[in-house]
């Protein structure tokens, strides 16, 4: 199974914006695309004002010529619906389609994505365009994939206008039915907020001080759903007019505004835009994590890197280049973690506009460049990896990750605002990554039966269904590690009474009567397996009710009290252990849960296996600046060189090996 039936290979290509260039450049483009091993181009993402220069007047001739040219050259199109950046005429005719910020400021045209997700005028205009696009091209031989809109919510994820208020009310009516139920869920007895009429309900606009957190939480849900509605609107049109052509849109890693668990089911496959900062050493782990998320969102199915940078980007304060080998290594990292395609933003670096200093596959200086050589090199290599297409990874460990809990956790007025979900997720992810233990991300209500170990870096908000799911997982023999400040509220952001973490008190055999968040810079120490490790950020006052202490605080007011405890295979971690302590704890959990790493490898070597249909492919990536030796666990064929490999494999600095296990 391939992502795109028309292309039975690893997909390779990028965003192509030919409208920025005269047509003789197009001919050079397609020649060079073939030279670079490209097979798929994302076209039309920002073409709305050219395709529909005035309302209802369409100019398709240029796009016809372009798609024909791609087809004549054996290239395929990931055809965008072009709805991500409305033309200036929409704002002029329908100024109410422009988004309003929390403070009531209007966002004007002249950039991109200047539309209110709830705007009727925008929706009507976008739907009209998508119909015409689908009508025109559904039978075009170059069409391989539909690219709906672009990075939903990237710049404008919420709008606070009156139309959005009305839309929010409709959404709330569907959720709660009666106003009483809403008053109850929002706890409006507090601060005299009781609503007597639906019309009184507004988006959480700028207010004198803390806003109602349950309202804010529902607003997050609504904003994610409002954007999803846009996607579904377009999808519906495409399915009707252009059946059989796969449909996707590009996600943005761990993007807070969109609950991708709710979105993923509506895409034929997930696609992602990884842009880790090449100058940040943690970027490698960040990229691994978002790849694991993309794979997990669709239960392990292959996914697509829709955009990455060939070299530097233009939008950071300092845009450092990717060093030689870094782009290739990142590309393989995604493939190792389930990507069946590598695409870039963008094919040819622009000469005008806000992104002219963003790298392209084809730099301003042309083909006599290292970037071009690396791009063409990766293209040639990926063409040798047909055997990888469709294979999967089956981790034994899952990290629970839930958008609703994320939103609720990071609303104001908590015991400590140093507690942020992505920090906690990274803190837990790193020690697994370092020992090459593959992990999935999982929804707390998802099927956990295939995992041996489940970790909840933080699950502040927990539904009854999720609490039961975790209990069932432990009862079925799984090992669970729940970190501090989990199980605190229900889906309305109301405290779960009865001693924290109330829904897990019995499972864990303990209660937390008090939180002891740390002052800035305050650290303590815990004793774990006879060693002392620093702990940061947060400590819990834990009372054991059947659990046994695994680690205890070594100093301060909580000295001698438990810091980590276990009740059979249900573990509770009541503080943030500094990395060395986390490492020791994860080592212990992995051992107790009988989890096996992909392969034993020296530090800085990433190893991931993809399997399926009798094939097993081991990816080895050297993220260090020196050569490394890895002891192979069997006989392999190197898919990039064709050489047979067994015993010790030497991997150059920043090099990769893609090894198929010999039958
Ligand atoms: C993405 C976007 C592209 C381009 C790119 C630059 O967020 O989808 O259109 O702007 O960033 O890095
Ligand atoms: Zn609006």
């Amino acid at each position: 199974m391939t992502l795109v039936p028309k292309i039975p290979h690893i997909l390779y290509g990028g965003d192509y914006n030919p409208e920025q260039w005269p047509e003789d450049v197009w001919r050079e483009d397609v020649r060079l695309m073939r030279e670079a091993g490209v097979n798929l181009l994302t076209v039309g993402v920002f073409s709305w004002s050219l395709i529909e220069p005035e309302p209802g007047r369409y100019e398709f001739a240029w796009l016809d010529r372009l798609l024909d040219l791609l087809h004549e050259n054996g290239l395929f199109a990931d055809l965008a619906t072009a709805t991500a950046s409305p033309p200036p005429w929409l704002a002029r005719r329908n100024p109410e389609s422009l988004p309003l910020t929390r403070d009531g400021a209007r966002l004007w045209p002249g950039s991109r994505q200047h539309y209110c997700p709830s705007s009727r005028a925008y929706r009507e205009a976008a739907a009209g365009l998508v119909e015409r696009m689908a009508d025109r091209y559904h039978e075009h031989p170059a069409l391989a994939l539909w690219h709906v809109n672009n990075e939903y919510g990237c710049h404008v994820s919420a709008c606070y206008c009156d139309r959005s208020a009305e839309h929010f009310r409709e959404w709330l009516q569907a959720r709660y039915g009666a106003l009483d139920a809403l008053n109850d869920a929002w706890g409006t007895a507090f601060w005299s907020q009781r609503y007597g009429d639906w019309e009184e309900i507004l988006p959480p606009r700028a207010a004198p001080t803390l806003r109602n957190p349950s309202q804010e939480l529902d607003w997050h849900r609504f904003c994610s759903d409002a954007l999803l509605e846009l996607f579904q609107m377009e999808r519906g049109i495409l399915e009707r007019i252009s059946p059989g052509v796969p449909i996707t849109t590009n996600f943005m890693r761990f993007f807070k505004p969109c609950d991708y668990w709710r979105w993923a089911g509506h895409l034929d496959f997930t696609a992602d835009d990884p842009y880790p900062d090449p100058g940040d050493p943690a970027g490698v782990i960040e990229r691994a994590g978002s790849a694991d998320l993309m794979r997990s969102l669709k239960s392990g199915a292959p996914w697509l890197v829709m955009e990455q940078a060939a070299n530097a980007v233009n939008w950071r304060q300092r845009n450092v280049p990717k060093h030689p080998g870094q782009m290739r290594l990142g590309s393989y990292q995604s493939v190792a973690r389930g990507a069946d395609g590598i695409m870039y933003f963008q094919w040819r670096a622009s000469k005008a506009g806000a992104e002219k200093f963003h790298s392209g596959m084809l730099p301003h200086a042309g083909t006599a460049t290292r970037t071009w050589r690396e791009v063409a090199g990766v293209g040639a290599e990926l063409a040798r990896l047909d055997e990888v297409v469709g294979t999967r990874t089956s981790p034994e460990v899952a990290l629970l990750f839930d958008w609703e809990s994320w939103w609720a956790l990071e609303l104001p007025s908590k015991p400590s605002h140093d507690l942020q979900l992505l920090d906690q997720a990274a803190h837990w992810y790193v020690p697994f990554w370092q020992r090459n233990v593959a992990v999935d991300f999982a929804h707390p209500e998802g099927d956990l039966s295939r995992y041996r170990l489940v970790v909840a870096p933080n699950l502040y908000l927990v539904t009854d269904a999720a609490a039961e799911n975790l209990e069932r997982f432990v009862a079925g023999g799984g090992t669970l590690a729940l970190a501090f400040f989990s199980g605190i509220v229900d889906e309305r952001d109301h405290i779960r009474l009865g001693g924290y973490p109330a829904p897990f008190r019995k499972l864990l055999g303990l209660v937390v009567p008090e939180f002891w968040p740390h002052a800035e810079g305050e650290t303590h120490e815990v004793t774990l397996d006879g060693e002392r490790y620093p702990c940061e950020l947060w400590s819990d006052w834990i009372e054991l009710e059947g659990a046994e202490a695994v680690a205890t605080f070594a100093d301060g007011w909580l000295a001698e009290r438990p810091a980590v405890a276990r009740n059979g295979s249900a573990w509770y971690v009541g503080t943030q252990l500094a990395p060395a302590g986390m490492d020791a704890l994860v080592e212990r959990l992995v051992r107790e849960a009988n989890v096996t790493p992909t392969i034993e490898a020296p530090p800085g070597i990433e190893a991931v296996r993809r399997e399926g249909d009798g094939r097993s492919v081991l990816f080895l990536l050297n993220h260090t600046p020196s050569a490394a030796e890895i002891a192979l666990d069997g006989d392999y064929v190197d898919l990039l060189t064709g050489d047979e490999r067994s015993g010790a494999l030497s991997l150059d600095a920043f090099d990769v090996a893609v090894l198929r296990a010999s039958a």
Side-chain angles (χ1 to χ4, degrees):
M1 260 266 291
T2 57
L3 294 179
V4 167
K6 283 189 179 174
I7 311 177
H9 307 288
I10 300 248
L11 305 177
Y12 196 59
D15 276 44
Y16 181 35
N17 298 305
E19 62 271 41
Q20 297 174 12
W21 302 94
E23 294 198 18
D24 53 323
V25 174
W26 301 4
R27 280 178 287 279
E28 185 192 35
D29 284 333
V30 290
R31 180 175 62 74
L32 291 174
M33 285 167 185
R34 293 173 56 107
E35 201 177 302
V38 162
N39 50 32
L40 185 65
L41 285 313
T42 302
V43 291
V45 178
F46 297 109
S47 306
W48 190 348
S49 68
L50 297 176
I51 295 171
E52 192 181 1
E54 328 166 11
R57 184 168 70 76
Y58 295 89
E59 282 190 4
F60 283 119
W62 68 273
L63 195 47
D64 293 351
R65 286 197 298 280
L66 177 81
L67 292 179
D68 291 349
L69 181 68
L70 293 182
H71 176 60
E72 282 154 24
N73 286 276
L75 299 163
F76 289 95
D78 163 30
L79 186 55
T81 56
T83 55
S85 191
W89 55 253
L90 184 71
R92 181 153 175 240
R93 278 171 45 127
N94 296 96
E96 83 292 350
S97 70
L98 294 169
L100 291 195
T101 65
R102 226 185 238 276
D103 298 320
R106 197 169 285 287
L107 301 177
W108 296 94
S111 174
R112 65 175 178 186
Q113 227 189 71
H114 45 279
Y115 61 84
C116 160
S118 302
S119 158
R120 293 199 176 89
Y122 168 76
R123 288 182 176 212
E124 213 175 285
L129 175 66
V130 178
E131 286 227 23
R132 295 299 296 261
M133 291 287 285
D135 263 343
R136 183 96 184 171
Y137 296 117
H138 70 282
E139 279 180 335
H140 198 286
L143 173 66
L145 171 65
W146 284 108
H147 182 103
V148 173
N149 196 281
N150 191 62
E151 292 191 338
Y152 275 106
C154 175
H155 310 297
V156 178
S157 59
C159 169
Y160 295 80
C161 77
D162 289 343
R163 166 59 198 145
S164 296
E166 184 185 46
H167 194 198
F168 183 37
R169 279 176 219 126
E170 289 158 17
W171 184 93
L172 290 167
Q173 274 166 359
R175 184 174 175 92
Y176 294 109
L179 199 52
D180 280 352
L182 177 139
N183 275 309
D184 207 38
W186 286 13
T188 54
F190 183 80
W191 282 357
S192 178
Q193 293 171 355
R194 193 183 167 282
Y195 294 101
D197 191 312
W198 287 101
E199 294 301 308
E200 294 162 3
I201 298 172
L202 295 169
R205 291 176 177 159
T209 180
L210 297 169
R211 279 169 293 255
N212 182 314
S214 308
Q215 174 195 18
E216 292 251 35
L217 178 57
D218 272 342
W219 176 250
H220 274 292
R221 293 184 175 114
F222 160 75
C223 291
S224 173
D225 281 1
L227 290 170
L228 179 55
E229 246 178 55
L230 293 182
F231 174 82
Q232 285 170 304
M233 173 187 84
E234 294 200 19
R235 185 181 170 109
I237 297 168
L238 296 172
E239 273 179 336
R240 174 164 53 79
I241 304 177
S242 177
V245 179
I247 300 170
T248 194
T249 186
N250 40 352
F251 285 170
M252 284 166 286
R253 316 164 293 277
F254 291 88
F255 180 62
K256 192 172 172 188
C258 294
D259 180 349
Y260 287 153
W261 290 118
R262 280 173 72 81
W263 281 66
H266 302 280
L267 277 59
D268 288 328
F269 55 82
T270 52
D272 196 33
D273 295 354
Y275 285 104
D277 187 342
D280 176 4
V284 162
I285 299 178
E286 188 187 313
R287 183 163 185 154
S290 59
D292 288 345
L293 176 69
M294 288 305 131
R295 189 190 63 238
S296 304
L297 286 170
K298 277 192 123 15
S299 312
W303 55 282
L304 172 64
V305 171
M306 186 64 89
E307 293 181 18
Q308 67 169 352
N311 197 334
V313 300
N314 63 301
W315 40 262
R316 291 196 170 92
Q317 180 67 17
R318 299 172 191 88
N319 298 296
V320 306
K322 293 189 174 178
H323 65 64
Q326 195 172 8
M327 183 279 285
R328 173 174 178 256
L329 202 53
S331 304
Y332 278 107
Q333 204 184 9
S334 296
V335 174
R337 293 177 181 275
D340 273 0
I342 296 292
M343 316 256 296
Y344 302 77
F345 178 87
Q346 61 175 327
W347 163 253
R348 183 184 278 274
S350 298
K351 72 176 162 84
E355 294 185 320
K356 57 185 173 297
F357 291 111
H358 194 292
S359 61
M361 300 165 77
L362 184 58
H364 293 146
T367 54
T369 51
R370 137 183 113 84
T371 299
W372 171 258
R373 283 191 294 274
E374 290 181 30
V375 163
V378 171
E381 284 185 348
L382 292 181
R384 292 173 214 151
L385 298 187
D386 283 357
E387 287 184 74
V388 169
V389 174
T391 54
R392 293 173 172 237
T393 303
S394 312
E396 297 174 323
V397 180
L399 259 65
L400 298 184
F401 192 89
D402 177 24
W403 263 262
E404 300 201 9
S405 184
W406 185 7
W407 294 331
L409 174 72
E410 295 181 4
L411 288 171
S413 89
K414 291 295 188 325
S416 171
H417 291 285
D418 296 337
L419 174 48
Q420 299 280 305
L421 186 63
L422 289 189
D423 296 346
Q424 296 306 312
H427 204 68
W428 277 92
Y429 183 84
V430 169
F432 289 101
W433 183 86
Q434 282 170 336
R435 40 178 56 67
N436 285 311
V437 168
V439 307
D440 273 345
F441 289 91
H443 188 275
E445 292 177 24
D447 177 10
L448 303 175
S449 57
R450 77 192 97 133
Y451 303 112
R452 291 172 182 272
L453 173 62
V454 167
V455 171
N458 171 277
L459 198 57
Y460 164 70
L461 178 156
V462 67
T463 61
D464 291 347
E468 282 159 26
N469 196 34
L470 297 188
E471 252 177 59
R472 214 174 313 126
F473 171 71
V474 174
T479 300
L480 172 72
L482 201 67
F484 56 94
F485 209 49
S486 290
I488 305 301
V489 299
D490 65 15
E491 64 275 12
R492 302 165 306 173
D493 197 27
H494 291 198
I495 299 287
R496 288 185 172 277
L497 299 175
Y500 316 122
F504 302 115
R505 185 168 172 178
K506 234 179 94 216
L507 179 70
L508 297 166
L510 54 78
V511 64
V512 178
E514 290 181 33
F515 310 123
W516 283 50
H518 294 194
E520 195 176 357
E522 177 185 347
T523 61
H524 293 286
E525 284 196 324
V526 302
T527 312
L528 168 69
D529 289 336
E531 299 280 332
R532 279 170 79 125
Y533 299 102
C535 68
E536 312 151 332
L537 190 105
W538 185 288
S539 298
D540 274 337
W541 179 307
I542 298 175
E543 308 266 358
L544 300 181
E545 296 176 331
E548 59 176 295
V550 174
T552 49
F553 290 106
D555 63 339
W557 288 97
L558 298 179
E560 312 289 311
R561 306 206 65 88
V564 179
R566 67 180 290 186
N567 192 25
S569 61
W571 295 60
Y572 184 73
V573 185
T575 186
Q576 179 180 298
L577 295 166
M582 269 312 276
D583 198 59
L585 178 65
V586 165
E587 178 65 39
R588 177 98 188 254
L589 287 168
V590 160
R591 205 173 348 112
E592 302 256 356
N594 257 315
V595 166
T596 40
T598 304
I599 194 170
E600 300 289 344
I605 305 298
E606 181 174 347
V608 192
R609 223 181 279 276
R610 289 184 64 172
E611 294 170 319
D613 290 336
R615 281 160 293 160
S616 173
V617 182
L618 174 65
F619 289 79
L620 296 171
L621 298 94
N622 184 355
H623 293 288
T624 75
S626 32
E629 277 227 340
I630 299 126
L632 294 179
D633 56 353
D635 301 333
Y636 290 93
V637 177
D638 187 325
L639 292 179
L640 297 180
T641 63
D643 298 338
E644 301 200 344
R645 305 268 186 214
S646 54
L649 175 92
S650 167
L651 204 54
D652 285 345
F654 303 116
D655 201 1
V656 318
V658 184
L659 307 173
R660 182 184 20 81
S662 305

